[in-house]
Amino acid sequence: MKVPLKWLKDYVDTDISPEELAEKLTLAGLEVSAIQVIGGNWENIVVGQIAAVNPHPNADRLRLATVDTGKGQQTVVCGAPNLVVGDKIAFASAGAKLIDGHTGKAEELKPAKIRGVASEGMVCSEKELGLSENHEGILVLPEEFQVGKHLSDYLGDAIFDIDITPNRADCLSVMGIAREVAALTAKPFRMPDLSYPESSKSVESYAAVEIKAPDLCPRYCATVIDGIVIGPSPGWMQKRLAACGARPINNIVDVTNYVMLEFGQPLHAFDCQQIRGNKIIVRRAAAGEAMYTLDEQERKFDSDILLIADAERPIAVAGIMGGLSSEVRDYTTSILLESANFSQAAIHRGSQNLKLSSEASVRFEKGLNPGLAMMALKRATQLIAQLGGGKVAGGIIDVYPARTAKKPLSINGHNVRRLLGIDLELDQIQRCLELLGLSCRKGDSNNVLVGDPWWRNDINCTADLVEEVARVTGYDNIPETMLSSSLPSGAGSLIVSFRQEISSFMVACGFQEIITYPLTSPEIMQKLSSSPGTAQPEMLKIANPMSRDLEYLRTSLRMGVLSVLSRNQRSRENNIRLFEIAKVFLPRPQDLPLENEILCGLVDTVAPETYWQSKPAPVDFYFVKGMVETLLARFGIKADYLYGHDVTLSPAGSADVVVDSVKIGVIGEVHPAVLMRFDIAEPAFLFELDVDKLLTLASQPLIYKTISKYPGTTRDIAMLLDTGVTYQKIVDIVKGFSLVSDMQLFDLYVGEQIPEGKKSLAFRLTYQSADQTLKDEEVDKVQKRIIERLSKELGAVLRS
Amino acid sequence: MLDQVEEVASQANAELQKIASLDELEGWRVRYLGRKSKLINILRSLGDVPIEERRTLGARANQVKVGLESRFTQKKEQIELLKNQSLELEKIDVTLPGQPYQVGRLHLTTRTIKEICDIFISLGFQIVEGPEVEWEHYNFEALNMPAEHPARDGFATLWADYKTETGARPMLMRTHTSPVQIRTMEKAKPPIRVIAPGRVYRYEATDATHEWMFSQVEGLAVDKNITMADLKGTLFEFARRLFGQDRKCRFRVDYFPFVEPGCEIAIDCFVCGGKGCRLCGSSGWIEILGAGMVHPEVLRGCGIDPEEYSGFAFGMGVERIPILRYGIDDIRLFYNNDLRFLKQF
Ligand SMILES: [Zn+2]
């Protein structure tokens, strides 16, 4: 909202600087985002009067103007066509800062010789003064300006650009801001006079109003002004409209715009002769109904749209835009002036539905007080009668189906203390509210009763009044205290700290955390499957997606990590290790999707780090597995690794991670076909763990195991086995012997000196008892039984 | 006996000559001077020796023992000296690069959220979380934003393609973390002191300053006797801990439908110190969070009596903080996951 300071001063006397005022408004919730100062640098520019105009001796298109500057006369060279003796003009003497009419740049005026004639000043155009883009001729000032006075005394101004929050539609007006200024500077607010003479012919004889949709139109007020003459509005009005960004049109339309800017109430003028049947009907559109709006567009309506119609046809889209057929034209002599209240929801829906927004709709959709309609109507009627020269029909049409007597709101010292933490006397509270113009009276129980302000729509409960008190006393006066209330019990969400622990572990293992978008597409999901045509998991769709790639809620994190790996390989990053902990969204009938938290990691093995000393350990399946094992061990979880059939992973090297026969994740080499689709160099290894399941498993209580006081003994075993026999089978047998406390595989060999189809394994067993030091014979006996079972059940052959 | 002493002496001396390491020397000491050595045994059994021999033998044995002990000390020092001399010669090049050790990093957003949460945890807040796909009710209605409320225009919403039997479309990707306030108040009784970090989503075209996915941290404190002064004290304390103890804070009126009174907290610009610059948009202030006293209707809607309880709520954008701190000029860098960016933090 643009608000000129001079206009504000019509309603409130304020003498503080524009900057100070801006600061006060900003702190009170009306953020001043810019102040445009007009005439701030008009130091050497005064009001002058043209005393004589003579031809230039050396140039036909130039003339010599003699100007009375109040301190004598000066003659300057001037090229403007509109030099008239006796006119008041803006005269700049040397040193003035002006905008160059051609380049648009600010320059200092210097004495010059133009075609042989010395010229020490200048008669200015609007553009040179920075008032507008007009450079056609010089600016002619009103007769009442006094010669010799500074131009800024008359035309200087400061225009505030104020961001209005959605609750303060009343502040989309100069008067609304003026009320704020009055309250914040403790000055009285002046209401303009709203009276005007009325003719004996009553308004009802011109038109009748019927509201057929009272839910969408709480109030409709109208006056009729007859015998008007359409013409331009006066300069002062045009200037104010322009300063606020409205284009002057004619005296009638300008008044409706002016009063909208002044009061915040949109108004509309209909050509009375175009209202068929002398009837205004406020109703929902019939389906398929259509009309041309003022912008010459044909609009088709559905029944959501609220229309203003006459007896035969729609003549305006209520609260949004007028119709072309009833527009005020040059030949219009009689108008019906509408000042109505339309429901905020109706106008919001209508404006979105029609994709049409106007200064009027912007105000209505924020919500206006129906009280405003009558006040603004009186003001606009008065101005039209003054400027358009017509006669106002007697009385005002006021159809007000939503008229209710709002109960006054109550506020007391306790209300203020318990919300703001400050103590105010009842009188102080009342004074704050009265500064805002609210009508207050003392109640029976040491409280103040506050009436509904007709210009505001945002004061509906005691808390609203408390905020008003706080705004006027200033938020700066609220002290800083720390919370002294009791602490809540419990620890909050468990998953947060669990997730943090996992992340710290991943980071320590050299993994970089990434965060990817949760939206994807079936095409991208399809890339995760090594065999095309695999059934896709069901995904929740977005009704209004921003693009095809962001149409579904992901059910996997894999495409995210794979895409990020691919992108970073292209920027030549080495040894990439990525992880993400985030949610996937699994659809459920008649409910929000199940948000399942997943840990997904991915490593590549491209270009191992070059190091002068030794080669780093390879990154492969066992690297990832070791990491997963260590992570699980950290939470006391021991998993089995079983052959699985994951579509993203290579059948040659992948496994399901299973705990107590529940699958909690997968690890493995990414299938080459998938890597190719993501443009990733082979190989890459992926793991995925269900964090929610992990949390449940990790929450199981740990039990301390006594540390054995007795030393352990180690024995090595080396044996040949068929290559198809998994290590797990050996583990399962050995684990059955309770004296074995640890088992470490230290060699695995296939190749020379080993028969075809066989592999050689060597592992070290640690024997330890909690009760005694084991004798060699006992250990030997157990070891012998282990070897017997391995050879019998797995066909192992002991190597010596 | 004396012969044996002499023999020990000569044998020990001879052996000592050949010893080069501290390990060998220790063996030598055990053999000739240890508790079970011949010499010590002789000394220990002097009482059994006839009185006339005892003097001579005792004197000699002691002499030999003292001699061996001093030879031992000498030898030990000699070996250590040699060892040091040879270590000097074995000096490695300490300027060669150390073994590379790959460590990862948390995402900048995660780190910032943790930083924010840690401050509030120390102020007695608990961390809670809520769903990212929400009901319209929690995202809007329960927060005092019924359908067609003007404040909804600030939230361009991504709607889920889910219809109820009545044809309504009530499921969405949450546009802010504020629904967690409602879910918390529905479940817990005051005292409540929670913060809720999380991802939020908007229907938004992305550019250097706009991203459709970003993060917020929401906060809520509800109990008897919580006032706006508590809000101011708590959030100013937070701002100073996060941005520095000497930051000035500004407390101004602002509007959010689910609080009343509402406010906004800004800090003085850490680049220009409040004079106005590009970072702060010439105002000298950087807005960091919105807050207010929980609206009585919101409390009532959650089954909390606004006559008995009051509380404050606040919310802040997360990415904005590192953007301001590190001068990051494009918000898209956050979720583009370019390691050359992520590794800088
Ligand atoms: Zn700055």
Side-chain angles (χ1 to χ4, degrees), chain A residues 26 344 348 478 481 513 567, chain B residues 148 153 230 232 252 336:
Chain A
T26 299
Q344 168 252 314
H348 187 254
I478 295 172
T481 56
E513 189 196 14
R567 215 173 306 142
Chain B
E148 314 299 342
D153 290 354
D230 295 329
K232 192 175 179 181
R252 61 173 285 266
N336 189 38

Side-chain angles (χ1 to χ4, degrees), chain A residues 364-411:
Chain A
F364 281 125
E365 63 188 20
K366 290 192 168 62
L368 295 175
N369 192 312
L372 197 54
M374 179 58 80
M375 298 300 199
L377 180 62
K378 288 180 179 170
R379 174 65 160 167
T381 306
Q382 174 204 54
L383 285 172
I384 288 177
Q386 270 174 29
L387 306 177
K391 283 202 166 63
V392 181
I396 293 177
I397 295 172
D398 184 7
V399 187
Y400 196 174
R403 189 198 302 267
T404 47
K406 264 203 185 175
K407 260 178 56 186
L409 296 171
S410 164
I411 182 170

Side-chain angles (χ1 to χ4, degrees), chain A residues 26 344 348 419 467 475 478 481 485 489-490 493 499 507 513 515 517 541 543-544 567-568 575 595, chain B residues 102 104-105 107 110 126-127 129 132-133 148 153 159 161 193 211 228 230 232 252 262 336-337 339:
Chain A
T26 299
Q344 168 252 314
H348 187 254
L419 274 185
E467 180 177 78
Y475 274 23
I478 295 172
T481 56
S485 62
S489 58
S493 173
R499 187 191 303 134
V507 165
E513 189 196 14
I515 297 174
Y517 295 139
K541 196 172 179 224
N544 57 333
R567 215 173 306 142
N568 281 291
N575 274 352
E595 298 191 5
Chain B
Q102 190 166 355
R105 282 179 165 77
H107 192 282
T110 310
Q126 303 169 335
I127 306 182
E129 293 182 321
E132 293 178 25
V133 177
E148 314 299 342
D153 290 354
W159 297 92
D161 190 14
R193 236 187 253 192
E211 175 58 273
M228 201 145 181
D230 295 329
K232 192 175 179 181
R252 61 173 285 266
N336 189 38
N337 295 300
L339 294 178

Side-chain angles (χ1 to χ4, degrees), chain B residues 114-126:
Chain B
K114 183 164 162 28
E115 203 181 340
I116 295 166
C117 290
D118 284 350
I119 295 173
F120 283 107
I121 286 170
S122 77
L123 296 173
F125 285 73
Q126 303 169 335

